[in-house]
Amino acid sequence: VTWSSSDPEVVEVSSSGALSFKAEGEAVITVSYGKFSAPCTVRVEKGETPLEDVTSDALDVESGSEKTLGEQIVAAGVSAGLFDAFTPTAVYFETDAETDYNANTGAESAFFAAYDTGDETTRTKVLIVANGDTVLYRVKVFVVTKSISSYEELANLQGYTQVTQGQNSAGATYYSYGGYFVLAGNLVATGEEKAFAAPNMGSISSGGHTTDQAGFHGTFDGRGYTVSGFKYALGGIFGDVGNDAVIKNVAFVNCIANDIDYAATETRVDGIGILAVNACGSFLVDNVLVSASVNSPNGGALFGRSTHSGTISNTVIRVNQTAGWNIGAISGWNVYTIGTFLENVYVIFEGSSNRIFGNQEL
């Protein structure tokens, strides 16, 4: 007998009658022997790709990463042990299977523009990542601005998001930035990398010039990791801390806050703090440990120049005053009533330190 297919691009048939399905559609398979023949219509339909739910863990994806959204999901999923490595062919919204973010870079940019903002709820999305026709994975992603995994990345915090400039009512220039940053692991300073300065931040230094619009307005989640061995100058880590800023779940240990020129080109003579120069507005510091030696006049273990408002909660501060004056565990100066914004805060004094705020005897 002989075999033939009316459309080999849909169904191929071998000399022994074995069928190979190539594409969706229909083909007539005919078997012939001499003057006898028999046709059979074969309909080829695409089978359902299996869907696996792996939303048990939220996978971090970065808005500024050089990898595509799909590549980031696969790398994070493999690291979390949710699936084996594969090359992603598409990423879809769960409710819109026609939206392919990997095939459309404009759509992928729009995705990060829309969700690299707001709180944890806004940043958490359920997506579908495809491994060809083999399997679809239903994943939960968490959009972050940057996952910090090195000293250099921490020092460049303002480089991963837009920095804006403005003037307060006194005419002083300030800089502000947002974003959602997380630590990917413990950070330990080595060698000369101990120097740290927040570029273009902490410029509003005196109480009369402070504004809640200056400095950091995003979220920094340490996720329980530790930053150790850093010497901070100029604006600390964040520069200034303003409205809606959240710093949480992190330990800063064996740090030094002083006025030596660790930035190589600029020296701040006073108001040095591990986190920032000024804290103003509706900021929140929660579940934080800071252990630091301070010798900066008007300086503090948390903040340098002044604390104006906001909330500090569930926090432990160890401060060792080695020089200077008006040095406090929290800041060199306090402007607001203490009881209005401290909740479950513990202070350990060492050296000559004995003040929560350097300008107030408490």
Side-chain angles (χ1 to χ4, degrees):
V1 298
T2 59
W3 298 85
S4 64
S5 171
S6 65
D7 192 346
E9 293 185 357
V10 175
V11 183
E12 286 185 350
V13 60
S14 72
S15 59
S16 62
L19 303 182
S20 298
F21 307 121
K22 300 299 182 179
E24 291 183 280
E26 287 186 353
V28 177
I29 305 300
T30 302
V31 59
S32 302
Y33 179 75
K35 63 179 181 179
F36 301 102
S37 65
C40 178
T41 300
V42 176
R43 179 182 299 113
V44 180
E45 296 178 351
K46 188 175 182 179
E48 290 189 6
T49 304
L51 176 66
E52 292 189 19
D53 190 301
V54 289
T55 55
S56 55
D57 295 330
L59 307 177
D60 289 340
V61 293
E62 296 181 7
S63 62
S65 174
E66 295 181 355
K67 295 182 178 179
T68 66
L69 179 59
E71 290 169 343
Q72 290 193 66
I73 292 173
V74 171
V78 171
S79 178
L82 299 181
F83 39 70
D84 294 330
F86 63 90
T87 300
T89 53
V91 180
Y92 307 111
F93 267 124
E94 186 176 41
T95 55
D96 184 4
E98 299 304 316
T99 303
D100 184 341
Y101 284 94
N102 268 5
N104 187 331
T105 56
E108 186 164 317
S109 298
F111 172 82
F112 284 111
Y115 300 115
D116 183 18
T117 184
D119 59 14
E120 286 82 353
T121 300
T122 303
R123 293 174 174 274
T124 303
K125 295 296 172 187
V126 174
L127 302 176
I128 305 294
V129 59
N131 181 10
D133 295 332
T134 304
V135 65
L136 300 173
Y137 291 104
R138 184 174 183 264
V139 297
K140 180 166 58 178
V141 301
F142 184 74
V143 180
V144 300
T145 304
K146 180 67 178 177
S147 179
I148 305 296
S149 57
S150 69
Y151 164 81
E152 290 79 9
E153 290 177 346
L154 182 64
N156 193 41
L157 201 65
Q158 301 90 38
Y160 301 110
T161 186
Q162 182 179 4
V163 176
T164 59
Q165 178 179 331
Q167 285 189 331
N168 67 356
S169 57
T173 299
Y174 66 83
Y175 302 88
S176 63
Y177 65 105
Y180 198 108
F181 303 94
V182 299
L183 284 184
N186 297 323
L187 301 183
V188 180
T190 58
E192 296 303 318
E193 292 180 344
K194 294 179 180 179
F196 189 97
N200 295 329
M201 297 293 155
S203 57
I204 309 287
S205 58
S206 66
H209 286 176
T210 300
T211 172
D212 55 17
Q213 299 301 308
F216 184 56
H217 300 274
T219 296
F220 184 92
D221 186 353
R223 293 186 170 176
Y225 291 114
T226 297
V227 179
S228 61
F230 290 161
K231 297 179 181 179
Y232 295 88
L234 299 177
I237 297 174
F238 301 99
D240 289 323
V241 172
N243 279 336
D244 302 320
V246 178
I247 303 168
K248 62 182 181 179
N249 307 326
V250 62
F252 299 94
V253 300
N254 299 325
C255 298
I256 298 176
N258 59 25
D259 54 359
I260 298 176
D261 185 9
Y262 286 112
T265 59
E266 187 175 0
T267 301
R268 187 180 185 86
V269 296
D270 65 359
I272 306 301
I274 298 300
L275 300 186
V277 177
N278 296 297
C280 188
S282 58
F283 71 87
L284 171 66
V285 173
D286 182 66
N287 195 31
V288 171
L289 166 66
V290 172
S291 175
S293 296
V294 183
N295 69 7
S296 170
N298 300 319
L302 282 188
F303 306 113
R305 171 67 70 167
S306 58
T307 305
H308 291 256
S309 55
T311 299
I312 304 172
S313 59
N314 308 312
T315 291
V316 176
I317 305 167
R318 171 202 156 274
V319 56
N320 179 13
Q321 180 176 347
T322 57
W325 61 89
N326 277 354
I327 289 177
I330 294 178
S331 63
W333 286 79
N334 173 54
V335 178
Y336 279 60
T337 304
I338 292 176
T340 61
F341 63 94
L342 298 184
E343 302 173 0
N344 197 33
V345 176
Y346 291 80
V347 177
I348 301 169
F349 292 114
E350 296 181 0
S352 58
S353 303
N354 60 7
R355 294 185 179 186
I356 297 177
F357 298 96
N359 67 324
Q360 298 179 356
E361 294 185 7
L362 297 173

